Amino acid sequence: MHITKRNIKTTVLLYLNIFFCSIFTITLFMRDTQGASISSLALLLVINVNKYKNIFKFKSETSIWIAFIIIALLSTFWSADIERSLSSIKKELIYPFLTFLIIPILYINKRTRAAIIISLFTGYILALLLAINFKLSFYPPLTQYYQLVGDTSTLITISLTILLYSLFFIPQHVLLKACNIILIVLSLYTAYLIQNRMAMIIIAIIISMTITLKTYKKSKILSCLLIMLMLLGSALSINIRNDNNFSINNSITAIKNDPRVELIWPFYIKSTFTSPLKGLGFGYEVPSIALKEKMPKSFEPAYKMHAHNVILNKTLQIGFIGIFFFLLLYLIPCKRFYQATKNTETIHAGIIGISITTAFFLKSMTDDFFIRNNIIIFWILIGLLIANITQNKETSIQDKHCT
């Protein structure tokens, strides 16, 4: 093979893409490493500047992203803390949006695609090991890289959605299947250690749905019995922090006495009408700053931070107009995923896309994890799935033309 300057340049760019892609993805699963993540993202955008024409394949998603960012920027004019709003826009919107743009470009090449997928698995395993280390104190110096309980449990719920579906419905090599099972067991063990109640509930729902899809056609009775057992376990898991004193009565009491039900949600729901159309300003904690003087004295510091529900949080921040665009931002990819389920070549990507979006929203019904690295990792997955669906669709069209 004749070596030319063009071949050398292509090879160098390929390996730079693989390197920075790996750094970008793996560091997202660690705490206090965002500098490395964002620097790598910036370099990936620069290296692939001549490939931006590919983003026009995703006009719907790109258009709604831009519209939503504009709405968030407009909210800074009446924000109680402009600096916090701009910082939140950068971290919660700009970074995920740029991630969504670059992932389909990297997906085109098989090697960079493999680098992303391997890095996702590596980063996830690292996150689990850091969580286990934090709880069991094997090596204390590593605890600084452990993400918060909520962030780790969010990663687990999304990952288990993919792992369980892949194990039962996607044909795999025996070795890959064994790795899948090990990772599922490790995920469940970590979820038990960190004891996040909402994660336990969602994991039970994910397992129930997997059982339904797998057994319903063979035995409806068995399917229903297994689902009932899983949902019962889910109800009992609400008391996982209550000295493991499991009972339905205790679960009902725990729900009734939950500060979100008694104090937080009623106050913040009422507060949405303070500025219903335009909101109080974009940003995770901006509404709490604007409402500081109105907050009940009984509120603990954790209650004052935010509304502990992503829909309520976003409504407070950007009003009812903004929440419409926010929901549209996630419904448009879901529409693409739903259409993909009608094609045998893209059905798996479609089902996984709808499933992880649902799991992500459910996890944020009692908190808000559409922030920090969670949101970037989520849009990496969405970008990969949409790129896969688009590529399969294009290949199918080309095959039809050839025949």
Side-chain angles (χ1 to χ4, degrees), residues 79-182:
S79 171
D81 191 324
I82 296 173
E83 286 187 12
R84 280 180 187 260
S85 288
L86 290 173
S87 177
S88 295
I89 290 167
K90 180 177 67 176
K91 294 176 182 178
E92 298 173 34
L93 300 183
I94 303 296
Y95 293 162
F97 175 53
L98 294 176
T99 299
F100 174 71
L101 293 183
I102 195 65
I103 290 299
I105 293 171
L106 296 171
Y107 186 90
I108 295 168
N109 185 284
K110 289 182 180 180
R111 292 185 182 181
T112 51
R113 185 194 315 165
I116 298 169
I117 295 168
I118 292 169
S119 298
L120 282 170
F121 276 100
T122 304
Y124 179 58
I125 293 168
L126 180 61
L128 294 179
L129 294 176
L130 286 170
I132 293 169
N133 177 69
F134 180 80
K135 286 295 178 180
L136 303 181
S137 299
F138 288 125
Y139 188 64
L142 284 176
T143 56
Q144 63 177 315
Y145 298 110
Y146 165 63
Q147 297 200 59
L148 301 172
V149 171
D151 292 336
T152 304
S153 59
T154 301
L155 289 175
I156 291 172
T157 54
I158 293 172
S159 301
L160 277 174
T161 305
I162 300 169
L163 292 169
L164 285 167
Y165 182 85
S166 301
L167 179 65
F168 290 104
F169 301 102
I170 300 177
Q172 295 176 331
H173 187 274
V174 177
L175 186 61
L176 188 61
K177 186 170 282 190
C179 291
N180 200 337
I181 293 168
I182 292 168

Side-chain angles (χ1 to χ4, degrees), residues 68-69 71-76 78-93 278-287 313-314 316-318 326 370-371:
F68 188 57
I69 290 170
I71 288 170
L73 286 169
L74 287 172
S75 76
T76 61
W78 50 83
S79 171
D81 191 324
I82 296 173
E83 286 187 12
R84 280 180 187 260
S85 288
L86 290 173
S87 177
S88 295
I89 290 167
K90 180 177 67 176
K91 294 176 182 178
E92 298 173 34
L93 300 183
K278 62 181 184 178
L280 300 169
F282 191 85
Y284 189 62
E285 296 179 0
V286 170
N313 263 353
K314 291 294 184 282
L316 283 161
Q317 292 171 31
I318 46 180
F326 171 75
F370 284 64
I371 56 169

Side-chain angles (χ1 to χ4, degrees), residues 355-368:
S355 300
I356 64 171
T357 304
T358 304
F360 196 38
F361 265 90
L362 283 174
K363 187 64 173 62
S364 288
M365 287 298 100
T366 56
D367 210 320
D368 186 351

Side-chain angles (χ1 to χ4, degrees), residues 109-252:
N109 185 284
K110 289 182 180 180
R111 292 185 182 181
T112 51
R113 185 194 315 165
I116 298 169
I117 295 168
I118 292 169
S119 298
L120 282 170
F121 276 100
T122 304
Y124 179 58
I125 293 168
L126 180 61
L128 294 179
L129 294 176
L130 286 170
I132 293 169
N133 177 69
F134 180 80
K135 286 295 178 180
L136 303 181
S137 299
F138 288 125
Y139 188 64
L142 284 176
T143 56
Q144 63 177 315
Y145 298 110
Y146 165 63
Q147 297 200 59
L148 301 172
V149 171
D151 292 336
T152 304
S153 59
T154 301
L155 289 175
I156 291 172
T157 54
I158 293 172
S159 301
L160 277 174
T161 305
I162 300 169
L163 292 169
L164 285 167
Y165 182 85
S166 301
L167 179 65
F168 290 104
F169 301 102
I170 300 177
Q172 295 176 331
H173 187 274
V174 177
L175 186 61
L176 188 61
K177 186 170 282 190
C179 291
N180 200 337
I181 293 168
I182 292 168
L183 204 49
I184 288 169
V185 172
L186 189 63
S187 299
L188 292 172
Y189 175 65
T190 309
Y192 172 75
L193 280 181
I194 61 178
Q195 299 191 349
N196 182 277
R197 288 182 293 189
M198 194 61 185
M200 292 293 190
I201 293 167
I202 296 170
I203 288 168
I205 293 170
I206 293 165
I207 295 172
S208 300
M209 292 304 297
T210 306
I211 291 168
T212 304
L213 289 169
K214 191 66 181 176
T215 64
Y216 191 72
K217 289 183 179 179
K218 295 178 182 178
S219 174
K220 294 179 182 179
I221 296 172
L222 176 63
S223 178
C224 290
L225 285 172
L226 289 170
I227 288 168
M228 285 174 67
L229 285 171
M230 288 308 307
L231 293 177
L232 178 62
S234 171
L236 294 174
S237 70
I238 292 170
N239 284 290
I240 195 164
R241 294 181 192 167
N242 190 23
D243 298 323
N244 293 334
N245 187 14
F246 299 112
S247 75
I248 294 296
N249 287 334
N250 285 339
S251 295
I252 293 168

Side-chain angles (χ1 to χ4, degrees), residues 258-303:
D258 192 295
R260 280 169 286 233
V261 178
E262 284 190 323
L263 299 170
I264 301 172
W265 289 340
F267 170 75
Y268 283 111
I269 288 170
K270 186 179 178 181
S271 299
T272 57
F273 296 98
T274 303
S275 182
L277 292 179
K278 62 181 184 178
L280 300 169
F282 191 85
Y284 189 62
E285 296 179 0
V286 170
S288 64
I289 296 168
L291 299 167
K292 187 177 180 180
E293 300 301 323
K294 297 180 181 179
M295 285 188 182
K297 292 180 180 179
S298 58
F299 266 28
E300 293 179 11
Y303 308 168

Side-chain angles (χ1 to χ4, degrees), residues 314-377:
K314 291 294 184 282
T315 306
L316 283 161
Q317 292 171 31
I318 46 180
F320 292 111
I321 295 173
I323 198 65
F324 171 77
F325 282 91
F326 171 75
L327 293 173
L328 208 57
L329 183 63
Y330 292 88
L331 286 172
I332 287 174
C334 281
K335 181 184 176 183
R336 192 187 287 268
F337 294 141
Y338 174 73
Q339 291 169 342
T341 61
K342 299 176 182 179
N343 188 316
T344 53
E345 293 178 354
T346 57
I347 186 171
H348 296 312
I351 292 172
I352 289 172
I354 292 170
S355 300
I356 64 171
T357 304
T358 304
F360 196 38
F361 265 90
L362 283 174
K363 187 64 173 62
S364 288
M365 287 298 100
T366 56
D367 210 320
D368 186 351
F369 297 105
F370 284 64
I371 56 169
R372 292 187 289 270
N373 292 350
N374 303 310
I375 190 71
I376 300 175
I377 293 169

